[in-house]
């Protein structure tokens, strides 16, 4: 027998599965089982099984011999080891970056000598733009790339780990503590984390300490209105842009603040070319706002309403009053609040109402959402973009409010409780309908697009889900729950999914009414579903079993099928095959009676796996073929 062949003439190379080849390629890079598990997002025990199968199939005794044999057989093709594109998720610049040469050089130098650098300063001072520019320049200094982690949308320090993992596209998919999973993933990587807007999560700075302790190749560049107050921290205070009068006005492009004003003015007054007198007035405006970039941009936006000299006059009259009125605000913050207040006064009443309402959104929004929730017309949205109250991403078409502006608008909304409740209701209703539509799309040929749309609005979806829970709105929650489970399952957000549905289980405990009972039972089933994947099947089985018992007495067959599926999954992990067979038979009987091809295909997959596990290969094959036919008929690529 040739050493490249198995008995019977089968080639060794053909005997390896694609996953075994993938593991073999990583063995050739001298990675450990743990490192391979991290790279492929698998459990370490699974990698160990793959390695054992590889050794057996190649007739070798150890990993080194496996690599040598693979090279002899031509299984490892060095030409396939291409250099991957450097990973990064840094957002593209929406406008040309202006000035800050001195600050950029100083920050770059400090980042070279420290592992934790925090850019501090008041909101609107330009910390994020500076940090992004530094990270962009440093991408090639880090073998594993630079990653932007936006902390503004999250409400609690408990969500920091999940947010970092999502930015890195690292699924927290095992039963281990999420923080430990993330730290292990980062341990041997060399990358830069840009942690943006940390000020409202200062009780969670311990996570930074853990990363610095366990991941020596990771550096952190943070932005915050306050210092993090860690021993390892180097602090860089970001001030206003240069407003020096030493530069002649004819050389205004060399003056950072004036150059920014002129660039921003061009958005509302295309071709804006200031006269020498106007340049003097612009210099005065920049000094009045202490070179604060966001204040300069907002001031320039007023040009569609006022002349340059009028802007300067109004700012001179308004700042002193507002400084004395807001006594507890930091000195630099007072001037930006003056800009916000004056900008607010320049909006007409409908614009003010719209801007207040837009503060309900998290992580940006679409034009359609703004129209449905805030009643904003296209013209009004364009007006708010022109006045720098909103930013627009031309590639995605999404709109976003600067976080400081959003908080300012939210303060005004909070002063109108009845209006605030109505806006939150509209927001929750919109994203309930949004998820209901995407649920149908996720089960069709549009599923990839639908998934991308949901992920873009996931912070809004989560906010709507939590608001509906707070309001005990079972009808809205029932319209969202299946789609939310499916997205979390596809993305392997197992910990997040378990916690999300556990909250609903707790809140609706003891709530009266059939809808509440169905919702709580479904939430129990989905909580148990994610527990199975987290190696908590003993607890998940109990939840799923109780869910089935409740739903058997209620009129919701789809919910009952999903509860049975959770029971099947947990029974499988517990090796309780008798219960698994009974559950699969019950769910198949129910699904067959319903006019829902996706649900039937989903059910057939579970029944097929049960038949395969129990040794009935012919029946498993028949079920698999039926399952595939249904998925292909409806266009479901993920299922097929």
């Amino acid at each position: 027998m040739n050493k490249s062949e198995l008995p019977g003439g089968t080639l060794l190379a053909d005997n390896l599965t694609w996953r075994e080849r993938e593991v073999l390629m990583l063995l050739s890079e001298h990675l450990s089982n743990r490192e391979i598990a991290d790279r492929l997002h698998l459990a370490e025990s699974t990698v160990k099984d793959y390695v054992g199968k590889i050794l057996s199939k190649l007739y070798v005794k150890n990993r080194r011999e496996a690599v040598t044999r693979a090279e002899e057989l031509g299984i490892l093709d060095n030409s396939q080891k291409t250099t991957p594109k450097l990973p990064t998720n840094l957002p593209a610049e929406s406008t040309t970056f202006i000035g800050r040469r001195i600050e950029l050089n100083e920050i770059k130098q400090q980042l070279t000598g420290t592992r934790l650098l925090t850019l501090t300063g008041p909101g609107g001072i330009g910390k994020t733009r500076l940090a992004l520019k530094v990270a962009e320049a440093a991408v090639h200094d880090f073998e594993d790339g630079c990653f932007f982690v936006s902390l503004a949308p999250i409400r609690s320090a408990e969500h920091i780990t999940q947010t970092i993992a999502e930015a890195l596209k690292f699924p927290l998919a095992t039963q281990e503590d999420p923080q430990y999973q993330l730290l292990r993933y980062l341990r041997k990587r060399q990358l830069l984390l840009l942690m943006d807007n940390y000020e409202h999560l200062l009780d969670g700075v311990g996570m930074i300490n853990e990363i610095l302790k366990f991941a020596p190749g990771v550096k952190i560049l943070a932005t915050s209105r306050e210092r993090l107050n860690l021993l390892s921290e180097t602090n860089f205070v970001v001030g206003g842009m240069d407003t020096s009068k030493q530069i002649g006005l004819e050389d205004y492009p060399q003056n950072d603040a004036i150059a920014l004003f002129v660039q921003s003015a061009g958005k509302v007054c295309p071709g804006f070319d200031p006269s020498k007198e106007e340049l003097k007035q612009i210099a005065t405006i920049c000094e009045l706002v202490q070179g604060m970039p966001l204040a300069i941009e907002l001031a320039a936006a007023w040009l569609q309403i006022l002349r340059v000299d009028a802007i300067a006059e109004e700012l001179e009259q308004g700042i002193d009053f507002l400084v004395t009125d807001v006594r507890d605000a930091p000195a630099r913050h007072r001037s930006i609040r003056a800009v916000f207040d004056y900008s607010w006064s320049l909006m007409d009443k409908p614009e003010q109402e719209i801007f207040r309402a837009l503060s309900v959104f998290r992580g940006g929004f679409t034009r359609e959402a703004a129209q449905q929730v805030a009643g904003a017309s296209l013209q009004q949205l364009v007006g708010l973009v022109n006045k720098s109250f909103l930013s627009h991403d031309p590639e995605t078409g999404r709109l976003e409010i600067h976080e400081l502006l959003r908080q300012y608008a939210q303060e005004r909304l909070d002063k109108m409780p009845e209006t605030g409740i109505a806006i939150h209701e509209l927001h929750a209703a919109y994203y309930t309908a949004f998820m209901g539509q995407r649920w149908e799309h996720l089960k069709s040929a549009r599923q990839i697009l639908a998934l991308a749309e949901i992920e873009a609005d996931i912070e809004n979806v989560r906010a709507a889900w939590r608001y509906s829970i707070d309001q005990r709105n079972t009808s809205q929650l029932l319209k969202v729950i299946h789609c939310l489970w499916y997205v979390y399952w596809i993305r392997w957000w197992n910990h997040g999914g378990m916690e999300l549905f556990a909250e609903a289980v707790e809140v609706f405990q003891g709530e009266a009414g059939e809808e509440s009972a169905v919702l709580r039972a479904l939430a129990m089933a989905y909580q148990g579903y994610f527990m199975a994947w987290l190696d908590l099947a003993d607890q998940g089985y109990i939840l799923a079993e109780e869910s089935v018992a409740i739903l058997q007495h209620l009129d919701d067959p789809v919910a009952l099928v999903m509860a049975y599926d959770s029971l099947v999954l947990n029974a499988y992990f517990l090796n309780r095959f008798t219960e698994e067979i009974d559950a699969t038979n019950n769910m198949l009987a129910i699904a067959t009676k319903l006019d829902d091809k996706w649900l039937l295909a989903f059910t057939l997959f579970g029944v097929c796996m049960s038949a395969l596990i129990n040794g009935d290969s012919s029946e498993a094959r028949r079920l698999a073929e039926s399952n595939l036919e249904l998925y292909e008929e409806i266009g479901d690529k993920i299922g097929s």
Side-chain angles (χ1 to χ4, degrees):
M1 182 183 67
N2 189 301
K3 67 178 182 179
S4 66
E5 294 180 344
L6 288 167
T10 302
L11 293 177
L12 286 171
D14 294 338
N15 198 38
L16 295 175
T17 67
W18 68 270
R19 178 64 91 179
E20 289 164 355
R21 288 168 178 264
E22 192 173 27
V23 172
L24 185 56
M25 184 68 72
L26 296 178
L27 287 178
S28 72
E29 296 178 20
H30 309 293
L31 299 185
S32 67
N33 287 355
R34 170 48 56 195
E35 291 169 329
I36 295 173
D38 287 343
R39 183 81 65 89
L40 301 180
H41 305 323
L42 298 171
E44 188 174 1
S45 59
T46 302
V47 174
K48 184 177 179 181
D49 289 341
Y50 279 128
V51 172
K53 292 176 181 177
I54 290 169
L55 299 183
S56 176
K57 290 182 178 183
L58 294 181
Y59 291 90
V60 293
K61 297 179 180 178
N62 54 51
R63 301 153 74 98
R64 180 181 55 79
E65 290 182 3
V67 172
T68 301
R69 176 66 61 83
E71 289 173 345
E72 292 173 351
L73 299 174
I75 297 174
L76 296 181
D77 182 359
N78 290 330
S79 66
Q80 296 176 0
K81 297 181 181 180
T82 56
T83 302
K85 182 180 178 181
L86 201 60
T88 179
N89 70 339
L90 300 179
E93 290 183 323
S94 56
T95 58
T96 302
F97 186 89
I98 287 180
R100 299 283 201 179
R101 291 174 295 278
I102 296 175
E103 293 98 322
L104 283 171
N105 288 332
E106 290 179 356
I107 294 170
K108 290 175 184 176
Q109 290 176 5
Q110 291 196 17
L111 189 59
T112 301
T114 185
R115 293 186 56 216
L116 171 60
L117 178 62
T118 307
L119 308 188
T120 59
I125 203 66
K127 302 182 295 293
T128 299
R129 286 297 301 271
L130 263 175
L132 284 169
K133 197 66 178 177
V134 171
E136 179 187 321
V139 164
H140 295 283
D141 297 334
F142 295 87
E143 181 178 332
D144 296 302
C146 300
F147 293 87
F148 179 77
V149 182
S150 177
L151 300 173
I154 68 175
R155 301 188 300 178
S156 168
E158 296 175 357
H159 302 137
I160 292 176
T161 298
Q162 179 72 30
T163 303
I164 296 174
E166 290 181 11
L168 294 169
K169 295 192 179 301
F170 171 67
L172 301 173
T174 73
Q175 81 280 8
E176 297 171 311
D177 177 73
Q179 181 173 307
Y180 177 74
Q181 289 183 63
L182 179 62
L183 292 173
R184 190 181 62 227
Y185 175 79
L186 292 172
R187 189 173 186 86
K188 293 191 178 181
R189 281 166 174 76
Q190 295 185 5
L191 55 82
L192 176 68
L193 288 178
L194 199 174
M195 309 284 286
D196 191 48
N197 284 309
Y198 219 116
E199 59 270 359
H200 63 300
L201 301 170
L202 294 178
D203 57 339
V205 296
M207 183 60 186
I208 287 183
N209 261 340
E210 294 299 309
I211 292 174
L212 296 177
K213 178 181 177 182
F214 287 98
V218 175
K219 287 192 176 186
I220 295 175
L221 177 61
T223 70
S224 176
R225 288 185 231 170
E226 295 181 38
R227 292 189 59 162
L228 306 185
N229 286 324
L230 296 174
L231 292 175
S232 54
E233 179 185 26
T234 299
N235 186 51
F236 184 92
V237 178
V238 180
M241 301 183 81
D242 179 26
T243 59
S244 173
K245 291 184 178 180
Q246 296 177 359
I247 300 174
L249 290 178
E250 65 276 7
D251 297 322
Y252 75 83
Q254 303 302 313
N255 184 301
D256 292 350
I258 295 177
L260 178 61
F261 186 100
V262 174
Q263 181 198 67
S264 302
K267 297 178 183 178
V268 294
C269 297
F272 177 69
D273 185 16
S275 66
K276 181 174 287 189
E277 187 60 31
E278 286 176 321
L279 285 171
K280 290 180 181 178
Q281 294 159 352
I282 291 171
T284 298
I285 291 171
C286 293
E287 290 174 8
L288 285 172
V289 298
Q290 300 176 333
M292 189 173 287
L294 184 56
I296 292 171
E297 292 173 355
L298 289 171
W302 300 340
L303 279 172
Q304 62 182 352
I305 301 173
L306 301 174
R307 299 189 312 273
V308 175
D309 58 345
I311 295 172
E313 288 174 6
E314 293 292 345
L315 281 175
E316 285 177 334
Q317 294 175 9
I319 285 180
D320 289 340
F321 171 77
L322 290 170
V323 165
T324 55
D325 187 50
V326 189
R327 296 185 178 89
D328 61 342
R332 290 181 183 269
H333 203 164
R334 294 173 192 172
S335 61
I336 193 68
R337 183 171 289 277
V339 172
F340 289 167
D341 286 342
Y342 187 68
S343 298
W344 179 266
S345 71
L346 290 176
M347 288 193 288
D348 57 33
K349 189 173 181 180
E351 284 181 320
Q352 290 177 345
E353 292 174 353
I354 289 165
F355 192 61
R356 271 196 302 259
L358 292 175
S359 69
V360 75
F361 289 102
R362 296 292 187 275
F365 49 90
T366 63
R367 168 188 163 189
E368 179 189 0
Q371 291 173 331
Q372 294 293 323
V373 175
S377 69
L378 176 59
Q379 291 74 18
Q380 289 168 325
L381 291 172
V382 170
L384 290 173
V385 170
N386 289 338
K387 293 178 182 179
S388 297
F389 280 95
L390 295 179
S391 61
H392 175 256
D393 187 332
E395 291 188 7
T396 65
R398 291 179 65 81
L399 297 155
E400 190 165 359
I401 309 177
H402 185 284
E403 178 59 19
L404 185 63
L405 280 167
R406 192 201 64 76
Q407 293 174 11
Y408 177 87
Q410 186 178 9
E411 288 177 5
R412 290 188 170 271
L413 184 63
D414 290 343
K415 293 176 181 178
M416 306 175 68
E418 291 184 5
T419 301
I421 290 173
I423 295 300
H424 280 286
E425 290 287 352
L426 286 170
H427 180 269
Y430 176 83
Y431 284 102
T432 296
F434 169 87
M435 290 292 277
Q437 294 167 355
R438 274 41 180 205
W439 176 226
E440 295 306 315
H441 296 166
L442 282 173
K443 299 182 290 183
S444 72
R446 294 192 74 255
Q447 61 186 188
I448 302 302
L449 176 60
L451 187 60
E453 290 171 339
I454 293 171
E455 287 186 316
D457 263 315
I458 192 64
E459 293 300 336
N460 282 311
V461 171
R462 288 166 176 162
W465 170 264
R466 293 186 180 109
Y467 179 81
S468 297
I469 285 180
D470 290 341
Q471 299 301 311
R472 307 298 196 273
N473 194 327
T474 52
S475 61
Q476 288 191 161
L477 292 167
L478 284 170
K479 293 175 183 176
V480 173
I481 191 167
H482 295 304
C483 188
L484 202 54
W485 157 76
Y486 196 53
V487 171
Y488 271 68
W489 171 57
I490 289 173
R491 289 300 179 227
W492 279 71
W493 296 342
N494 293 334
H495 272 281
M498 180 180 69
E499 293 171 356
L500 189 83
F501 294 111
E503 182 181 2
V505 171
E506 181 179 355
V507 169
F508 281 88
Q509 184 173 8
E511 288 287 315
E514 183 170 323
E515 273 197 344
S516 295
V518 171
L519 176 68
R520 186 169 183 271
L522 256 180
M524 292 169 67
Y526 287 147
Q527 180 188 355
Y529 188 93
F530 289 109
M531 280 182 161
W533 294 109
L534 293 170
D535 201 23
L536 298 171
D538 52 341
Q539 300 173 47
Y541 186 90
I542 294 172
L543 285 172
E545 191 174 38
E546 184 177 348
S547 174
V548 168
I550 294 171
L551 291 168
Q552 283 176 332
H553 300 288
L554 300 173
D555 184 23
D556 195 325
V558 174
L560 183 55
V561 168
M562 303 313 290
Y564 270 125
D565 184 66
S566 179
L567 189 66
V568 168
L569 184 66
N570 281 281
Y572 167 74
F573 278 103
L574 293 172
N575 294 325
R576 300 175 67 166
F577 299 124
T578 300
E579 291 90 337
E580 181 185 348
I581 293 172
D582 292 342
T584 53
N585 289 337
N586 289 334
M587 64 190 283
L588 180 59
I590 298 170
T592 302
K593 296 178 182 179
L594 300 176
D595 185 21
D596 188 330
K597 293 180 180 179
W598 180 89
L599 186 67
L600 181 57
F602 176 80
T603 302
L604 283 173
F605 177 79
V607 180
C608 170
M609 294 304 297
S610 179
L612 189 63
I613 291 168
N614 287 280
D616 193 345
S617 57
S618 59
E619 177 65 6
R621 182 180 182 83
R622 185 188 68 79
L623 292 166
E625 290 174 349
S626 299
N627 165 265
L628 186 59
E629 286 176 5
L630 283 170
Y631 274 136
E632 288 178 345
E633 183 179 345
I634 61 179
D636 187 330
K637 300 295 184 183
I638 295 175
S640 59

